[in-house]
mmCIF file of all heavy atoms in Angstrom:
data_model
loop_
_atom_site.group_PDB
_atom_site.id
_atom_site.type_symbol
_atom_site.label_atom_id
_atom_site.label_comp_id
_atom_site.label_asym_id
_atom_site.label_seq_id
_atom_site.Cartn_x
_atom_site.Cartn_y
_atom_site.Cartn_z
ATOM 1 N N SER A 2 35.589 12.098 -2.068
ATOM 2 C CA SER A 2 34.999 10.660 -1.710
ATOM 3 C C SER A 2 33.577 10.627 -2.257
ATOM 4 O O SER A 2 32.819 11.562 -2.497
ATOM 5 C CB SER A 2 34.955 10.490 -0.304
ATOM 6 O OG SER A 2 34.116 11.261 0.270
ATOM 7 N N VAL A 7 20.491 5.861 -0.861
ATOM 8 C CA VAL A 7 19.154 5.198 -1.249
ATOM 9 C C VAL A 7 18.120 6.442 -1.250
ATOM 10 O O VAL A 7 18.010 7.102 -0.368
ATOM 11 C CB VAL A 7 18.718 4.181 -0.397
ATOM 12 C CG1 VAL A 7 17.367 3.657 -0.734
ATOM 13 C CG2 VAL A 7 19.648 3.044 -0.334
ATOM 14 N N VAL A 19 -3.549 11.541 -11.207
ATOM 15 C CA VAL A 19 -3.808 11.008 -12.436
ATOM 16 C C VAL A 19 -5.099 11.621 -12.982
ATOM 17 O O VAL A 19 -5.294 12.036 -14.052
ATOM 18 C CB VAL A 19 -3.708 9.504 -12.611
ATOM 19 C CG1 VAL A 19 -4.084 9.041 -13.973
ATOM 20 C CG2 VAL A 19 -2.191 9.055 -12.238
ATOM 21 N N GLU A 20 -6.093 11.510 -12.117
ATOM 22 C CA GLU A 20 -7.448 11.887 -12.401
ATOM 23 C C GLU A 20 -7.536 13.403 -12.618
ATOM 24 O O GLU A 20 -8.169 13.953 -13.606
ATOM 25 C CB GLU A 20 -8.394 11.575 -11.291
ATOM 26 C CG GLU A 20 -8.593 9.986 -11.107
ATOM 27 C CD GLU A 20 -9.173 9.330 -12.373
ATOM 28 O OE1 GLU A 20 -9.626 10.041 -13.290
ATOM 29 O OE2 GLU A 20 -9.281 8.041 -12.349
ATOM 30 N N VAL A 33 -12.248 12.360 -4.684
ATOM 31 C CA VAL A 33 -12.167 10.998 -4.093
ATOM 32 C C VAL A 33 -12.461 10.063 -5.121
ATOM 33 O O VAL A 33 -13.323 10.121 -5.949
ATOM 34 C CB VAL A 33 -13.350 10.912 -2.968
ATOM 35 C CG1 VAL A 33 -13.333 9.558 -2.365
ATOM 36 C CG2 VAL A 33 -13.191 11.992 -1.901
ATOM 37 N N LEU A 42 -23.668 4.359 -3.721
ATOM 38 C CA LEU A 42 -23.489 2.915 -3.821
ATOM 39 C C LEU A 42 -22.450 2.451 -2.868
ATOM 40 O O LEU A 42 -21.556 3.305 -2.438
ATOM 41 C CB LEU A 42 -23.056 2.575 -5.252
ATOM 42 C CG LEU A 42 -24.171 2.954 -6.313
ATOM 43 C CD1 LEU A 42 -23.522 2.508 -7.719
ATOM 44 C CD2 LEU A 42 -25.517 2.271 -6.106
ATOM 45 N N GLU A 52 -6.892 17.899 -0.689
ATOM 46 C CA GLU A 52 -7.982 18.819 -0.297
ATOM 47 C C GLU A 52 -9.146 17.964 0.287
ATOM 48 O O GLU A 52 -9.660 18.477 1.378
ATOM 49 C CB GLU A 52 -8.547 19.455 -1.522
ATOM 50 C CG GLU A 52 -7.753 20.495 -2.189
ATOM 51 C CD GLU A 52 -6.654 19.931 -3.117
ATOM 52 O OE1 GLU A 52 -6.610 18.655 -3.305
ATOM 53 O OE2 GLU A 52 -5.832 20.706 -3.704
ATOM 54 N N GLY A 57 -10.886 14.770 6.572
ATOM 55 C CA GLY A 57 -10.838 13.530 7.218
ATOM 56 C C GLY A 57 -11.030 12.344 6.355
ATOM 57 O O GLY A 57 -11.256 11.160 6.855
ATOM 58 N N ARG A 70 -18.448 13.408 5.168
ATOM 59 C CA ARG A 70 -17.430 14.367 5.590
ATOM 60 C C ARG A 70 -17.099 15.405 4.647
ATOM 61 O O ARG A 70 -16.719 16.543 5.151
ATOM 62 C CB ARG A 70 -16.214 13.457 5.969
ATOM 63 C CG ARG A 70 -16.375 12.485 7.034
ATOM 64 C CD ARG A 70 -14.876 11.905 7.506
ATOM 65 N NE ARG A 70 -15.070 10.973 8.687
ATOM 66 C CZ ARG A 70 -14.087 10.492 9.329
ATOM 67 N NH1 ARG A 70 -12.794 10.726 8.895
ATOM 68 N NH2 ARG A 70 -14.334 9.664 10.318
ATOM 69 N N PHE A 76 -16.508 12.746 -6.765
ATOM 70 C CA PHE A 76 -16.217 11.277 -6.742
ATOM 71 C C PHE A 76 -16.155 10.732 -8.090
ATOM 72 O O PHE A 76 -16.983 10.961 -8.984
ATOM 73 C CB PHE A 76 -17.437 10.611 -6.004
ATOM 74 C CG PHE A 76 -17.541 10.896 -4.474
ATOM 75 C CD1 PHE A 76 -18.047 11.994 -4.037
ATOM 76 C CD2 PHE A 76 -16.916 9.999 -3.586
ATOM 77 C CE1 PHE A 76 -18.181 12.286 -2.660
ATOM 78 C CE2 PHE A 76 -16.967 10.184 -2.341
ATOM 79 C CZ PHE A 76 -17.541 11.353 -1.808
ATOM 80 N N LEU A 77 -14.935 9.924 -8.324
ATOM 81 C CA LEU A 77 -14.681 9.316 -9.563
ATOM 82 C C LEU A 77 -14.376 7.812 -9.402
ATOM 83 O O LEU A 77 -14.004 7.381 -8.338
ATOM 84 C CB LEU A 77 -13.416 9.986 -10.107
ATOM 85 C CG LEU A 77 -13.550 11.465 -10.361
ATOM 86 C CD1 LEU A 77 -12.058 11.982 -10.800
ATOM 87 C CD2 LEU A 77 -14.492 11.793 -11.496
ATOM 88 N N GLY A 106 5.816 -0.459 -6.452
ATOM 89 C CA GLY A 106 4.416 -0.253 -6.580
ATOM 90 C C GLY A 106 4.087 0.726 -7.610
ATOM 91 O O GLY A 106 5.055 1.152 -8.375
ATOM 92 N N GLY A 113 18.976 3.691 -6.231
ATOM 93 C CA GLY A 113 20.257 3.422 -5.577
ATOM 94 C C GLY A 113 21.252 4.212 -6.491
ATOM 95 O O GLY A 113 21.300 4.164 -7.650
ATOM 96 N N LEU A 123 20.476 15.374 -6.962
ATOM 97 C CA LEU A 123 19.888 14.316 -7.778
ATOM 98 C C LEU A 123 18.443 14.332 -7.571
ATOM 99 O O LEU A 123 17.568 14.158 -8.536
ATOM 100 C CB LEU A 123 20.493 12.956 -7.489
ATOM 101 C CG LEU A 123 19.720 11.692 -8.190
ATOM 102 C CD1 LEU A 123 19.897 11.797 -9.626
ATOM 103 C CD2 LEU A 123 20.501 10.463 -7.626
ATOM 104 N N ILE A 143 15.594 10.745 1.216
ATOM 105 C CA ILE A 143 17.149 10.436 1.062
ATOM 106 C C ILE A 143 17.559 9.647 2.240
ATOM 107 O O ILE A 143 17.255 10.224 3.375
ATOM 108 C CB ILE A 143 17.920 11.644 0.792
ATOM 109 C CG1 ILE A 143 17.451 12.307 -0.447
ATOM 110 C CG2 ILE A 143 19.396 11.263 0.715
ATOM 111 C CD1 ILE A 143 18.123 13.702 -0.693
ATOM 112 N N VAL A 162 11.811 17.415 -0.564
ATOM 113 C CA VAL A 162 12.926 16.427 -0.428
ATOM 114 C C VAL A 162 13.499 16.497 1.030
ATOM 115 O O VAL A 162 13.479 17.594 1.607
ATOM 116 C CB VAL A 162 14.127 16.858 -1.397
ATOM 117 C CG1 VAL A 162 15.428 16.058 -1.067
ATOM 118 C CG2 VAL A 162 13.836 16.826 -2.745
ATOM 119 N N THR A 189 0.251 -2.917 16.720
ATOM 120 C CA THR A 189 1.422 -3.195 17.367
ATOM 121 C C THR A 189 1.908 -2.054 18.273
ATOM 122 O O THR A 189 2.377 -2.261 19.361
ATOM 123 C CB THR A 189 2.499 -3.381 16.193
ATOM 124 O OG1 THR A 189 2.187 -4.455 15.367
ATOM 125 C CG2 THR A 189 3.880 -3.697 16.905
ATOM 126 N N LEU A 193 2.885 -2.276 22.203
ATOM 127 C CA LEU A 193 4.140 -1.702 22.708
ATOM 128 C C LEU A 193 3.795 -0.850 23.872
ATOM 129 O O LEU A 193 4.568 -0.713 24.830
ATOM 130 C CB LEU A 193 4.823 -1.027 21.647
ATOM 131 C CG LEU A 193 5.480 -1.917 20.632
ATOM 132 C CD1 LEU A 193 5.995 -1.071 19.435
ATOM 133 C CD2 LEU A 193 6.713 -2.598 21.226
ATOM 134 N N ASP A 233 17.933 -2.355 5.040
ATOM 135 C CA ASP A 233 18.545 -2.824 3.889
ATOM 136 C C ASP A 233 19.124 -1.782 3.036
ATOM 137 O O ASP A 233 18.460 -0.821 2.864
ATOM 138 C CB ASP A 233 17.556 -3.811 3.049
ATOM 139 C CG ASP A 233 18.177 -4.471 1.789
ATOM 140 O OD1 ASP A 233 19.491 -4.457 1.737
ATOM 141 O OD2 ASP A 233 17.461 -4.973 0.971
ATOM 142 N N ASN A 255 -27.219 -6.133 1.322
ATOM 143 C CA ASN A 255 -26.573 -7.245 2.010
ATOM 144 C C ASN A 255 -27.086 -8.536 1.470
ATOM 145 O O ASN A 255 -28.238 -8.762 1.288
ATOM 146 C CB ASN A 255 -26.833 -7.089 3.451
ATOM 147 C CG ASN A 255 -26.154 -6.057 4.173
ATOM 148 O OD1 ASN A 255 -25.158 -5.487 3.673
ATOM 149 N ND2 ASN A 255 -26.706 -5.530 5.352
ATOM 150 N N LEU A 278 -3.390 -16.264 -15.312
ATOM 151 C CA LEU A 278 -2.869 -16.870 -16.529
ATOM 152 C C LEU A 278 -2.146 -15.703 -17.287
ATOM 153 O O LEU A 278 -1.179 -15.907 -17.927
ATOM 154 C CB LEU A 278 -4.143 -17.401 -17.333
ATOM 155 C CG LEU A 278 -3.718 -18.036 -18.661
ATOM 156 C CD1 LEU A 278 -2.928 -19.212 -18.367
ATOM 157 C CD2 LEU A 278 -4.975 -18.529 -19.387
ATOM 158 N N ARG A 286 -1.413 -20.044 -3.636
ATOM 159 C CA ARG A 286 -2.357 -19.973 -2.279
ATOM 160 C C ARG A 286 -3.663 -19.286 -2.722
ATOM 161 O O ARG A 286 -3.414 -18.225 -3.468
ATOM 162 C CB ARG A 286 -1.651 -19.307 -1.186
ATOM 163 C CG ARG A 286 -2.424 -19.454 0.120
ATOM 164 C CD ARG A 286 -1.608 -18.817 1.334
ATOM 165 N NE ARG A 286 -2.221 -19.048 2.540
ATOM 166 C CZ ARG A 286 -2.215 -20.210 3.269
ATOM 167 N NH1 ARG A 286 -1.558 -21.270 2.884
ATOM 168 N NH2 ARG A 286 -2.833 -20.220 4.405
ATOM 169 N N THR A 309 -0.658 -23.459 -9.636
ATOM 170 C CA THR A 309 -1.452 -23.739 -10.787
ATOM 171 C C THR A 309 -2.001 -22.538 -11.309
ATOM 172 O O THR A 309 -2.140 -21.480 -10.690
ATOM 173 C CB THR A 309 -2.616 -24.701 -10.436
ATOM 174 O OG1 THR A 309 -3.334 -24.900 -11.639
ATOM 175 C CG2 THR A 309 -3.614 -24.055 -9.378
#
Side-chain angles (χ1 to χ4, degrees):
S2 63
V7 178
V19 172
E20 295 294 353
V33 178
L42 303 178
E52 293 81 3
R70 293 193 178 185
F76 287 83
L77 299 171
L123 173 61
I143 299 170
V162 176
T189 301
L193 287 168
D233 184 12
N255 292 334
L278 186 62
R286 191 174 183 85
T309 181

